[in-house]
């Protein structure tokens, strides 16, 4: 899902950068307000875990790849979609700058796809669904799946707008691969939420009925 440099024209990439910078600024404001000293280790662990799961790439035809993202988990555990944006931005900067995983000029698009869409879709799917069905684990599974799937769909749309590959083909390939990978992402989101609630329920921002 990491878009490389030159897959999007520089003008289009600049638009994504501007939009991403707005959300990055809001996530920094969240971090300033919410990140107390006791949350720093949790943020570091989540960032390291997300970095690791994103390293497991599955090649997808036409030059991109499929993998898990982790933004939904970060948003649920830390109680804000901006937490997902904050952590995913850190991860994507390290991946892009030091490992060449995702481009620099297109990093704004990657942050929008995985951080912004992942964080907001994951957070609001989890809380909205949990209010309806009163099942935090089923809600977390759906949140993890939806956050990844919709991020992949947006990636396909951006690449189609850039003329990199056709829209229908992109939606089909990115959607199909990430619909399947999303099942794993949903499972990991549930497992991580369960383990955290069992070991340290006090660090969950909003338990929302989560019990181990």
């Amino acid at each position: 899902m990491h878009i490389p440099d030159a897959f999007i024209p520089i003008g289009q990439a600049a638009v994504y950068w501007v939009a991403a910078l707005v959300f990055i600024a809001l996530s920094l404001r969240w971090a300033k307000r919410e990140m107390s000293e006791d949350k720093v280790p949790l943020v570091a662990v989540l960032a390291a875990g997300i970095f690791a799961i994103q390293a497991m790439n599955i090649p997808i035809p036409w030059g991109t790849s499929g993998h898990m993202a982790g933004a939904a988990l970060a948003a649920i555990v830390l109680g804000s979609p901006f937490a997902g944006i904050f952590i995913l931005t850190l991860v994507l900067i390290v991946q892009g700058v030091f490992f060449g995983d995702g481009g620099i000029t297109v990093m704004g698009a990657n942050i929008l796809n995985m951080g912004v869409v992942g964080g907001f879709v994951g957070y609001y799917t989890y809380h909205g669904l949990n209010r309806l069905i009163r099942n935090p684990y089923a809600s977390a599974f759906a949140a993890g799946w939806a956050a990844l799937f919709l991020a992949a769909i947006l990636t396909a749309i951006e690449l189609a707008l850039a003329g990199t590959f056709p829209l229908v083909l992109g939606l089909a390939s990115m959607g199909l691969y990430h619909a399947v990978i999303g099942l794993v992402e949903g499972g990991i989101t549930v497992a991580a939420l369960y383990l955290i609630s069992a070991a340290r329920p006090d660090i969950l921002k909003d338990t929302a009925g989560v019990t181990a």
Side-chain angles (χ1 to χ4, degrees):
M1 199 186 301
H2 292 61
I3 302 172
D5 281 323
F7 270 47
I8 292 179
I10 196 68
Q12 185 180 339
V15 172
Y16 298 140
W17 255 121
V18 170
L21 286 172
V22 173
F23 287 100
I24 291 170
L26 293 172
S27 73
L28 290 173
R29 188 175 68 172
W30 167 85
K32 186 177 180 181
R33 290 178 176 176
E34 300 291 335
M35 269 190 60
S36 53
E37 285 189 14
D38 60 321
K39 284 187 180 175
V40 172
L42 177 60
V43 169
V45 168
L46 285 170
I50 289 170
F51 186 95
I53 63 173
Q54 288 195 2
M56 295 182 285
N57 282 291
I58 299 172
I60 293 179
W62 299 285
T64 184
S65 62
H67 56 74
M68 292 170 279
L73 175 62
I76 292 169
V77 170
L78 291 168
S80 171
F82 293 107
I85 299 169
F86 179 76
I87 292 178
L88 265 291
T89 298
L90 294 177
V91 169
L92 289 168
I93 288 173
V94 172
Q95 290 173 334
V97 173
F98 297 104
F99 297 93
D101 192 7
I104 303 299
T105 60
V106 295
M107 192 178 292
N110 288 328
I111 291 171
L112 283 177
N113 300 341
M114 287 179 265
V116 176
V117 172
F120 274 88
V121 171
Y123 179 83
Y124 286 105
T125 298
Y126 173 72
H127 284 282
L129 194 57
N130 194 34
R131 273 195 285 272
L132 290 175
I133 65 174
R134 301 293 180 189
N135 187 326
Y137 293 115
S139 302
F141 182 88
W145 184 89
L148 184 71
F149 179 75
L150 291 178
I153 293 298
L154 181 57
T155 302
I157 292 171
E158 290 167 349
L159 292 176
L161 290 173
T164 306
F165 58 74
L167 177 62
V168 174
L169 205 53
L171 290 174
S173 56
M174 289 290 284
L176 178 61
Y177 274 79
H178 285 90
V180 176
I181 297 170
L183 300 176
V184 181
E185 171 112 11
I188 288 179
T189 305
V190 170
L193 190 61
Y194 175 82
L195 292 172
I196 292 172
S197 68
R200 289 290 306 275
D202 56 299
I203 62 176
L204 289 174
K205 176 70 175 179
D206 178 7
T207 59
V210 178
T211 55

